[in-house]
Amino acid sequence: MIDAPKPSPSLSAALRLPFDPLLALAVVGLGVCSLVAVQASSPDELGSYYVVRQAAYFLLGLVLAAAVSRIDYSRLRELKYGLYALLMLSIVAVLVFGSVSRGSRLSIEFPFFSFQASELGKILLVVVLAAFLTDRSRRLDDRDTTARTMLLALIPAAVVMIAPDLGSATVYVVVAVALLFLVGTSWKHFAALGALTATAVALVLVAVPAVGLTVLEDYQKERLTAFLEPSADPADAGYQQAQSQVAIGSGQRTGRGEQATQTRLDFLPEARTDFIFAVVGEGWGFVGAGLVLALYALLIWRAIRVLTMAKNLFGALIAGGIVAMLLYQVFINVGMNVGIMPITGIALPLMTYGGSSVISNLLAVGLLQSIYAQGREASARKGRVAAT
Amino acid sequence: MIQRPEDRLPTISPRLALRIAVLGFVALGLFALVFFRLWYLQVLTGDQYLAEARENRVRELRIQAPRGDIVDRDGRTLVTNTQATVVSLDPSRLPQTERDLAATWGQRAGRREVLPKGQRGRPVPIPPIPSRELRGRFESLGRVLDLGAEEIHSRVIRSLAVVPYGDVNLAVDADRAVLNYLSERSGDYPGVEITQRYLREYPYDELGAQLFGTVGEISPEQLEQERYRDVQQGTIIGQEGLEKSYDRYLRGQDGVRRVVVDAFGRRESSDQMKDTDPVSGRQLRLSVDLRLQEAGQKALREIGGGLPGAFVAMDPQNGEVLAMGSYPSFDPNRLTRPITQERYEELYGEEAGAPRFNRAVSGSYPTGSTFKPFVALGMLQSDQIDVGRTINDGGSITVGGQSFQNAGGQAYGSVGLVKSLTVSSDVYYYTLGLQAHSVDSDPIQAFARKIGFDRPTGIDLPGEFGGTVPDEEWFNELKGLEQECREEEERRSCGIADLDALWTAGQTVQLAIGQGGFQASPLQLATAYAAIANGGDVVTPHLGREITDAADVTLQRIETDPARKIEFERPALEAVRQGLFGAANLPGGTSVGIFDDFPSTLRVHGKTGTAQLAGKGDSSWYAGYVPGGERPIVVVATVEQGGFGAERAAPITCRIMAEWYDVDSECSGGASTSD
């Protein structure tokens, strides 16, 4: 794999770039699990409708990821303004032209495809923030750096909140905080951020409602607090949580397979999307759910490794942002499936049915492979330099 | 070679390394958290969740098993089933206040039921609807079902008072449009259910109505009883009559349909659950003969002239009841559907003559002269008199300063045992009564008890009257009751007994002609006459003959208690039989002429009776039998306040016997004015 690369970048050279096979294995494994679970949760009368579409998204995403992995991500640093503009334009466009589904305006309908801008936005934001922080890596103690980084994340977060898409908004904020953390921002800044957040929360939950303004919709508050006491009313969020736990618990050690009912018979709404983990849990039990968790652990481990071997800070920060994004989404989604996290509508990366999510996450994996490839390339060159 | 800055490998600063390590540990921590939670859910508490998931998906629906038919001795259907759509109300969806009201009302109404008829006072009123919200619910439902809110409330109260958790039937066979409307708007009418149910159907309407009884949902008390050990809650069981006696055969076994449903309660097509099929009940074949039953009820209705009465026709050899009727009767088909309280009272209340009351089994009457043969047998069997004893009947006798006369005031002159029964000489029996009173062993009462007037006959119907044989002990008991009642109620008299009265000869004299506190049911009298007819077997009467399958194949014969044997002294029994034969056939006989159309091969024996009840007209009685041959029969008939025995009860008996032996007779000849 550490073949001598040609000094000038060409197509054949790009194809010969190395890639991380374990990372690829984790992604393909999750893809297979996703297809199996999507099929299991499909009503019989729909046949393979969903699974075929999900497979198509995966194929398209893998092609795009492969392409991305062969180019040097470092060029993206120059495009940061363009990428940020794309991010803002797309999520605003969704707000304006998007179609409403279950009370949220999350996507723009195209023929055969509905584009959920906030998903792609997560990747775009990681790249933009990584670029911004790389630029400012010598001025980290400047409060301005921290403030601007947060602002860059909070603006799109505020826009998707209008949709309303609370889940994506929190992803944006988490990514920003994680990148600030990795780049080495002082603890004092985090303390200040914490204080600000506490004040804001107090305002949103107490002061503003007191004057009669609505920031969080009632259903959002309900969803956020439902996991504290799941109830039996199918109309409320606690019902979903309770049914999800029943689904996963009833899977026991090896799952109910064909006998699965919770996820097949609509007891658990949205089994294909937000609660796909429950489908695995019910159908294949602790063995299946454990395997999926292990694949995610593999994915995160490889991503952290990519982070350590990036050839430059920009790459390390992109990898770090992706790690934070994946880890946060996996934890929140699985957490809400097993009943320890509130329901926030965050997708399970690479598992949840849906083109925007699958393709965006595969693009992220493509970026990781690119960072890996460039890192290996650089260290090989350095090694050779050292040798001569 | 100089490296350009951007190609320079990032030297991982200790600070970055630390923060990557922190990130790694955070990731590890989060994975561990989720992993252990998963372990807890699936491995440690998985069983619970699996049970919960199963409960989620499986709904158990009861499939009602049809009850077995009841057929007559020749297989003609008397009781069967019909399917009907029932609109009912699930009481668990009613407010607790309404259910509490029903319980209180039920207790008060129940207390009233146990009081003697005269002292019950007004029926317990239905309490008002407890809340405005419930009134609104009843009103909107009432508009659909064309019932008033008060009526629905009253049905709920009355139904819940009997079966506290049982569905309240509101309408049966409602209009298609009404059913559609209700099922489409089930959300607007909480607790309203529309189900297909089997209802009992009675093809011959009033025929044998008091025998069959009713069916209804099993009560919590019944659920705890040993005889209903394997009966599920919600099962329809026999609550009265034959339905109750033979419930375990008729009942069948309800089935269960387990359906897999989705979260919205819709049935899933991929339904692989095992159903338990309902097992229909067995068929009960009665000893009752439909034609005889029809003839009996017709005769009772026509000859009885609208007066209450009863008849029993029985095979004296084995106690098989061939026909049994009570007037007034009713159409049980009406009782399978909900009716208003007013309508119920109108049709089945005391004002309507309590048509559901089976007078043949539960009626308690002085039987008048029909008791005389047993007085004679008691005195003969205890050697107090012998068969040749004659008494000079001067038309009256004075006992303790009180004059007792023959009915109609006739004097029969020298009367022997045979003649005493043929002409029904009261003076003869007064004399025997007076004689018996002087004997400590109470020979009349002893024999009356021996032949069964002191106990239920053991017929396979609930609610049988056990009879009263008066003696000194009984008399003192009554006085004790009167005393108790006066003290408790603080009244001057309860009308049970005269505390100053003593057990005197006059009372035994009265007993000797079937009066003076003596009470028996028509069935008891029939059983006693059967013993005379068959030579000493006190049979156990029964209606149930055998249990068959739907194709009339016998599965099980119904066993009854063996007859009790009475050793009759032959000459005594023959003399009594002769007297009874004479009464129906010889000149001077009390029922002579009535059976004139019967061929001489059918030796009709019979005794008239005219029983007096204080303040009421005389009741007409007849007890007769035709012994021997292949088709022996014993018949007892009575018409309350129907006059002399020969006026109504004897012709009714005659009609029943005529039907039994296919004799063409009007049964109208003769009518003695003595009893």
Side-chain angles (χ1 to χ4, degrees):
Chain A
M1 289 266 279
I2 317 173
D3 285 348
K6 297 266 161 54
S8 63
S10 70
L11 189 62
S12 60
L15 285 178
R16 247 176 284 145
L17 281 170
F19 74 102
D20 184 349
L22 283 177
L23 181 60
L25 179 73
V27 169
V28 171
L30 286 169
V32 171
C33 290
S34 170
L35 294 180
V36 172
V38 165
Q39 180 59 46
S41 65
S42 295
D44 291 342
E45 59 269 25
L46 276 175
S48 53
Y49 174 85
Y50 287 114
V51 79
V52 165
R53 290 179 75 103
Q54 180 79 336
Y57 299 146
F58 258 102
L59 281 179
L60 179 61
L62 283 174
V63 168
L64 290 176
V68 167
S69 72
R70 301 301 84 174
I71 60 167
D72 187 351
Y73 64 91
S74 304
R75 297 179 194 170
L76 293 173
R77 195 171 152 192
E78 301 146 22
L79 300 174
K80 63 185 181 216
Y81 297 112
L83 293 176
Y84 197 71
L86 179 61
L87 161 65
M88 291 309 298
L89 270 178
S90 65
I91 59 178
V92 169
V94 165
L95 269 193
V96 178
F97 305 111
S99 60
V100 178
S101 157
R102 282 183 288 121
S104 296
R105 202 176 286 272
L106 297 179
S107 58
I108 299 179
E109 296 289 332
F110 294 106
F112 312 112
F113 188 74
S114 72
F115 175 62
Q116 205 171 328
S118 59
E119 289 292 334
L120 183 63
K122 291 168 190 168
I123 313 299
L124 294 177
L125 188 69
V126 167
V127 175
V128 170
L129 291 182
F132 178 76
L133 284 172
T134 308
D135 291 348
R136 292 224 163 195
S137 57
R138 290 174 202 288
R139 293 165 57 193
L140 289 177
D141 289 335
D142 198 338
R143 263 175 309 186
D144 194 42
T145 305
T146 304
R148 286 188 187 205
T149 306
M150 288 313 296
L151 202 61
L152 280 175
L154 283 172
I155 292 168
V159 176
V160 295
M161 277 280 278
I162 299 171
D165 180 1
L166 190 60
S168 294
T170 62
V171 174
Y172 295 168
V173 174
V174 164
V175 163
V177 171
L179 285 176
L180 283 173
F181 174 75
L182 277 175
V183 84
T185 303
S186 150
W187 291 109
K188 285 180 211 151
H189 291 197
F190 285 110
L193 275 181
L196 270 175
T197 310
T199 318
V201 165
L203 275 176
V204 166
L205 291 185
V206 184
V208 179
V211 271
L213 289 170
T214 314
V215 179
L216 282 177
E217 300 287 341
D218 279 345
Y219 88 95
Q220 287 177 321
K221 277 187 233 165
E222 219 169 83
R223 282 168 68 167
L224 285 172
T225 52
F227 80 108
L228 297 173
E229 47 174 339
S231 75
D233 181 359
D236 74 25
Y239 172 83
Q240 278 189 353
Q241 198 115 44
Q243 293 298 345
S244 171
Q245 279 186 58
V246 169
I248 292 174
S250 69
Q252 295 184 297
R253 286 177 176 79
T254 53
R256 306 174 74 192
E258 288 289 305
Q259 301 299 313
T261 50
Q262 287 291 103
T263 46
R264 271 166 190 256
L265 302 181
D266 271 349
F267 284 104
L268 181 58
E270 301 303 315
R272 193 180 314 114
T273 54
D274 289 354
F275 288 94
I276 192 99
F277 187 76
V279 175
V280 177
E282 187 185 19
W284 291 272
F286 187 68
V287 172
L291 173 70
V292 168
L293 278 187
L295 288 171
Y296 279 116
L298 181 64
L299 179 68
I300 299 291
W301 170 48
R302 295 314 291 184
I304 292 177
R305 201 173 113 82
V306 167
L307 155 58
T308 61
M309 57 192 287
K311 70 174 178 184
N312 50 26
L313 184 62
F314 182 51
L317 287 179
I318 291 178
I322 290 172
V323 166
M325 178 190 84
L326 290 176
L327 184 62
Y328 175 73
Q329 294 191 90
V330 168
F331 177 70
I332 295 289
N333 182 283
V334 174
M336 81 187 190
N337 271 264
V338 297
I340 55 173
M341 280 287 137
I343 295 180
T344 42
I346 285 178
L348 187 58
L350 299 171
M351 285 285 292
T352 287
Y353 171 83
S356 305
S357 164
V358 163
I359 291 169
S360 303
N361 284 305
L362 283 171
L363 282 178
V365 173
L367 277 175
L368 287 177
Q369 290 286 19
S370 170
I371 298 163
Y372 177 88
Q374 298 301 321
R376 291 294 293 265
E377 185 88 337
S379 71
R381 203 177 302 146
K382 184 189 172 198
R384 200 168 47 176
V385 168
T388 40
Chain B
M1 187 169 176
I2 300 160
Q3 282 187 326
R4 283 173 296 165
E6 57 265 42
D7 285 342
R8 182 172 46 91
L9 278 176
T11 44
I12 296 183
S13 64
R15 193 187 213 184
L16 182 58
L18 175 73
R19 297 209 167 180
I20 290 173
V22 169
L23 182 65
F25 277 109
V26 166
L28 202 63
L30 294 182
F31 271 103
L33 192 61
V34 167
F35 189 85
F36 282 114
R37 173 68 179 174
L38 205 57
W39 173 268
Y40 170 78
L41 282 183
Q42 298 193 297
V43 178
L44 298 185
T45 56
D47 294 346
Q48 258 167 263
Y49 287 110
L50 185 61
E52 223 173 293
R54 291 221 168 106
E55 217 168 278
N56 252 343
R57 69 193 277 234
V58 179
R59 297 276 182 285
E60 290 199 345
L61 307 174
R62 174 185 298 279
I63 315 172
Q64 196 189 354
R67 283 177 78 79
D69 287 355
I70 300 177
V71 300
D72 87 335
R73 64 190 295 124
D74 295 319
R76 289 171 287 220
T77 305
L78 302 173
V79 183
T80 182
N81 299 300
T82 178
Q83 267 208 318
T85 313
V86 177
V87 178
S88 58
L89 199 57
D90 175 2
S92 67
R93 303 286 295 273
L94 287 170
Q96 187 61 43
T97 46
E98 177 83 345
R99 287 183 273 165
D100 291 345
L101 277 183
T104 331
W105 181 83
Q107 279 172 2
R108 292 182 57 198
R111 275 205 294 274
R112 179 177 172 270
E113 281 297 304
V114 297
L115 290 174
K117 276 180 193 171
Q119 301 166 16
R120 287 185 189 170
R122 298 162 57 80
V124 183
I126 299 276
I129 301 177
S131 74
R132 183 170 299 182
E133 185 265 333
L134 191 63
R135 174 176 290 276
R137 253 172 85 181
F138 285 165
E139 271 170 1
S140 69
L141 183 59
R143 275 194 291 277
V144 182
L145 295 173
D146 200 18
L147 291 170
E150 293 291 346
E151 178 53 32
I152 293 180
H153 171 69
S154 147
R155 282 184 195 181
V156 168
I157 295 290
R158 277 184 291 126
S159 167
L160 295 188
V162 181
V163 190
Y165 55 85
D167 284 351
V168 182
N169 284 7
L170 294 177
V172 171
D173 286 336
D175 211 46
R176 196 68 244 160
V178 169
L179 297 179
N180 286 341
Y181 184 88
L182 283 176
S183 39
E184 279 164 18
R185 291 167 183 75
S186 54
D188 298 345
Y189 302 101
V192 173
E193 290 168 357
I194 297 169
T195 43
Q196 287 288 323
R197 292 207 202 147
Y198 287 108
L199 298 179
R200 279 308 216 185
E201 188 178 44
Y202 307 86
Y204 295 97
D205 303 332
E206 295 203 349
L207 202 76
Q210 294 89 359
L211 306 181
F212 308 129
T214 55
V215 296
E217 199 165 310
I218 189 166
S219 73
E221 293 76 28
Q222 286 168 328
L223 267 175
E224 285 165 19
Q225 290 170 15
E226 179 62 18
R227 64 179 295 205
Y228 299 116
R229 193 166 29 117
D230 46 1
V231 180
Q232 300 286 312
Q233 186 177 322
T235 306
I236 302 292
I237 62 166
Q239 297 286 11
E240 289 170 32
L242 288 169
E243 298 271 21
K244 183 175 184 185
S245 301
Y246 291 101
D247 184 59
R248 74 189 176 107
Y249 302 107
L250 292 168
R251 189 197 310 138
Q253 177 83 48
D254 284 356
V256 177
R257 173 174 299 142
R258 296 177 184 84
V259 289
V260 180
V261 294
D262 65 14
F264 309 101
R266 292 181 302 224
R267 302 226 180 123
E268 271 294 305
S269 51
S270 58
D271 172 359
Q272 289 174 340
M273 302 297 292
K274 256 212 172 127
D275 288 0
T276 314
D277 288 329
V279 182
S280 57
R282 300 273 162 77
Q283 180 171 289
L284 171 66
R285 185 193 286 258
L286 301 181
S287 54
V288 169
D289 182 289
L290 173 66
R291 301 274 167 258
L292 197 65
Q293 181 75 26
E294 274 177 339
Q297 287 193 223
K298 185 161 175 268
L300 181 59
R301 188 173 62 242
E302 289 177 0
I303 299 171
L307 295 167
F311 69 89
V312 180
M314 190 169 80
D315 183 332
Q317 298 299 333
N318 55 21
E320 285 186 356
V321 174
L322 305 170
M324 177 188 279
S326 180
Y327 189 89
S329 193
F330 65 101
D331 181 358
N333 286 312
R334 292 191 163 182
L335 276 174
T336 61
R337 285 147 172 80
I339 57 169
T340 65
Q341 179 68 38
E342 292 70 38
R343 189 99 182 100
Y344 182 89
E345 284 297 332
E346 193 183 316
L347 290 171
Y348 309 107
E350 283 158 37
E351 296 286 296
R356 298 185 65 189
F357 184 66
N358 187 355
R359 291 171 163 77
V361 169
S362 310
S364 53
Y365 303 100
T367 66
S369 299
T370 57
F371 182 61
K372 284 176 182 169
F374 310 103
V375 175
L377 283 167
M379 295 300 279
L380 289 165
Q381 296 272 91
S382 59
D383 295 326
Q384 297 299 319
I385 59 169
D386 59 40
V387 178
R389 165 88 177 265
T390 58
I391 286 165
N392 185 33
D393 178 354
S396 70
I397 184 176
T398 305
V399 177
Q402 197 183 348
S403 174
F404 293 88
Q405 297 188 332
N406 274 336
Q410 278 142 312
Y412 299 107
S414 177
V415 176
L417 173 60
V418 175
K419 191 182 175 187
S420 76
L421 288 169
T422 300
V423 300
S424 202
S425 160
D426 287 345
V427 169
Y428 184 90
Y429 288 92
Y430 292 148
T431 310
L432 292 195
L434 188 61
Q435 187 183 338
H437 189 73
S438 61
V439 183
D440 285 339
S441 61
D442 286 349
I444 298 174
Q445 287 93 335
F447 188 77
R449 291 196 190 98
K450 199 168 176 184
I451 207 155
F453 284 113
D454 68 331
R455 73 194 89 176
T457 62
I459 192 174
D460 43 3
L461 281 176
E464 194 187 356
F465 174 66
T468 308
V469 177
D471 58 8
E472 191 165 8
E473 198 183 318
W474 164 82
F475 189 72
N476 290 334
E477 248 172 57
L478 276 194
K479 288 210 285 190
L481 284 177
E482 171 77 22
Q483 185 73 43
E484 230 174 78
C485 169
R486 285 188 193 180
E487 281 165 13
E488 269 182 28
E489 312 257 322
E490 293 175 352
R491 281 196 286 177
R492 289 192 53 218
S493 167
C494 288
I496 299 170
D498 181 357
L499 287 184
D500 302 326
L502 294 168
W503 179 251
T504 59
Q507 274 151 315
T508 316
V509 167
Q510 289 277 11
L511 168 65
I513 59 158
Q515 303 271 162
F518 174 78
Q519 287 192 318
S521 69
L523 183 67
Q524 279 180 309
L525 194 60
T527 313
Y529 269 83
I532 295 177
N534 65 31
D537 284 343
V538 182
V539 294
T540 305
H542 56 276
L543 289 148
R545 206 165 181 229
E546 54 194 25
I547 303 298
T548 71
D549 64 12
D552 288 341
V553 176
T554 304
L555 301 171
Q556 187 181 342
R557 285 202 60 88
I558 290 166
E559 300 288 330
T560 47
D561 295 339
R564 272 183 300 122
K565 207 73 182 158
I566 293 180
E567 292 296 329
F568 279 127
E569 284 168 26
R570 215 62 212 174
L573 180 61
E574 285 310 324
V576 167
R577 283 177 173 173
Q578 220 179 312
L580 293 175
F581 180 76
N585 296 280
L586 298 180
T590 51
S591 53
V592 72
I594 292 172
F595 298 92
D596 273 2
D597 295 331
F598 280 59
S600 57
T601 47
L602 294 172
R603 295 174 58 79
V604 179
H605 296 60
K607 181 76 199 80
T608 52
T610 306
Q612 281 129 24
L613 266 175
K616 288 185 179 172
D618 292 352
S619 284
S620 174
W621 279 87
Y622 199 80
Y625 65 91
V626 178
E630 283 184 13
R631 287 160 66 83
I633 192 169
V634 56
V635 179
V636 168
T638 179
V639 176
E640 291 176 24
Q641 308 191 49
F644 289 109
E647 268 181 79
R648 298 189 199 263
I652 291 169
T653 305
C654 172
R655 287 257 205 112
I656 293 169
M657 287 181 172
E659 171 65 34
W660 186 239
Y661 293 112
D662 209 10
V663 174
D664 192 17
S665 173
E666 281 301 306
C667 297
S668 55
S672 170
T673 49
S674 89
D675 91 307

